[in-house]
């Protein structure tokens, strides 16, 4: 009985009393990331970008759900897939989303129509890093016509490993000024 109480106390102390930091940099919260990723593509099996990214996510311990559904004989329309993935991220059912279309532009435009979705189209590791640091991006968009699978894996790893506001000069501004302004705009737009 004493051992159980001690273990419960340690868990409580770890989660609430110690200065643990959540992604937003606020003290007193445990990292509750579910490590769940929603993925969707405007392609069924043309190229292997989606397959490569799913494999990498699974290697890293993420639970991945592919929202690329429909009749393979028919053309896939990216808006519906992008909206479905973005809706899941917006609702909090998935921590992050990955979207793939020809250039990535269409997917990012559609995904950003949802509240609490910050979709970033990136083509290199630098943009991936700063989309997380400055913009708290939670949906990563790729262009299958412009990004090779091997390069996409490097971009994905950088994006997953980078924390929001983790910058010595601009981190505090991003967290305490920019993100609250974005949230205020969202509240006006998504009434």
């Amino acid at each position: 009985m004493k051992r159980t109480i001690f273990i419960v106390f340690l868990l409580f102390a770890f989660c609430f009393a110690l200065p643990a930091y959540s992604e937003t940099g606020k003290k007193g919260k445990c990292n509750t990331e579910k490590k769940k990723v929603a993925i969707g593509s405007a392609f069924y099996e043309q190229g292997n970008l989606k397959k490569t990214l799913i494999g990498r996510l699974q290697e890293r311990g993420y639970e991945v759900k592919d929202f690329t559904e429909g009749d393979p004989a028919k053309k896939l329309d990216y808006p519906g897939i992008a909206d479905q993935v973005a809706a899941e991220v917006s609702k909090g059912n998935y921590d992050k989303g990955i979207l793939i279309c020809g250039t990535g532009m269409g997917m990012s435009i559609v995904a950003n129509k949802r509240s609490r979705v910050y979709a970033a189209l990136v083509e290199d590791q630098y943009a991936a890093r700063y989309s997380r640091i400055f913009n708290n991006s939670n949906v990563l968009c790729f262009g299958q016509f412009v990004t090779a699978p091997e390069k996409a894996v490097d971009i994905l790893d950088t994006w997953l490993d980078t924390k929001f506001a983790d910058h010595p000069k601009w981190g505090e501004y991003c967290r305490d000024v920019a993100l609250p302004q974005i949230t205020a705009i969202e509240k006006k737009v998504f009434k």
Side-chain angles (χ1 to χ4, degrees), residues 9-20:
F9 172 77
L10 284 177
L11 289 172
F12 177 82
F14 181 75
C15 289
F16 299 102
L18 296 176

Side-chain angles (χ1 to χ4, degrees), residues 76-117:
L76 281 173
D77 289 320
Y78 73 85
I81 294 166
D83 186 54
Q84 193 174 10
V85 168
E88 293 295 322
V89 172
S90 178
K91 292 177 201 170
N93 295 334
Y94 290 83
D95 301 298
K96 295 177 173 34
I98 309 287
L99 292 168
I100 303 162
C101 66
T103 63
M105 291 178 206
M107 289 290 203
S108 64
I109 289 168
V110 173
N112 280 312
K113 302 292 187 221
R114 292 282 183 165
S115 66
R116 294 178 303 280
V117 171

Side-chain angles (χ1 to χ4, degrees), residues 167-184:
H167 191 277
K169 183 176 179 183
W170 296 105
E172 189 175 317
Y173 167 80
C174 294
R175 184 188 64 239
D176 299 337
V177 178
L179 190 61
Q181 289 178 13
I182 292 169
T183 303

Side-chain angles (χ1 to χ4, degrees), residues 102-135:
T103 63
M105 291 178 206
M107 289 290 203
S108 64
I109 289 168
V110 173
N112 280 312
K113 302 292 187 221
R114 292 282 183 165
S115 66
R116 294 178 303 280
V117 171
Y118 310 116
L121 166 60
V122 301
E123 295 177 1
D124 59 36
Q125 290 173 277
Y126 181 88
R129 179 176 294 111
Y130 284 98
S131 78
R132 289 287 303 130
I133 290 172
F134 292 156
N135 309 115

Side-chain angles (χ1 to χ4, degrees), residues 1 36 139 148 163:
M1 180 69 174
K36 291 175 66 175
V139 174
K163 301 295 180 207

Side-chain angles (χ1 to χ4, degrees), residues 136-180:
N136 198 25
S137 66
N138 54 5
V139 174
L140 184 60
C141 300
F142 286 101
Q144 184 164 293
F145 301 156
V146 294
T147 306
E150 300 79 23
K151 184 175 181 181
V153 167
D154 292 339
I155 291 168
L156 176 66
D157 283 341
T158 298
W159 188 71
L160 293 172
D161 292 339
T162 304
K163 301 295 180 207
F164 171 59
D166 186 17
H167 191 277
K169 183 176 179 183
W170 296 105
E172 189 175 317
Y173 167 80
C174 294
R175 184 188 64 239
D176 299 337
V177 178
L179 190 61

Side-chain angles (χ1 to χ4, degrees), residues 8 19 30 50 56 100 145 182 190:
V8 169
C30 286
K50 182 180 72 172
R56 183 63 180 148
I100 303 162
F145 301 156
I182 292 169
F190 299 105

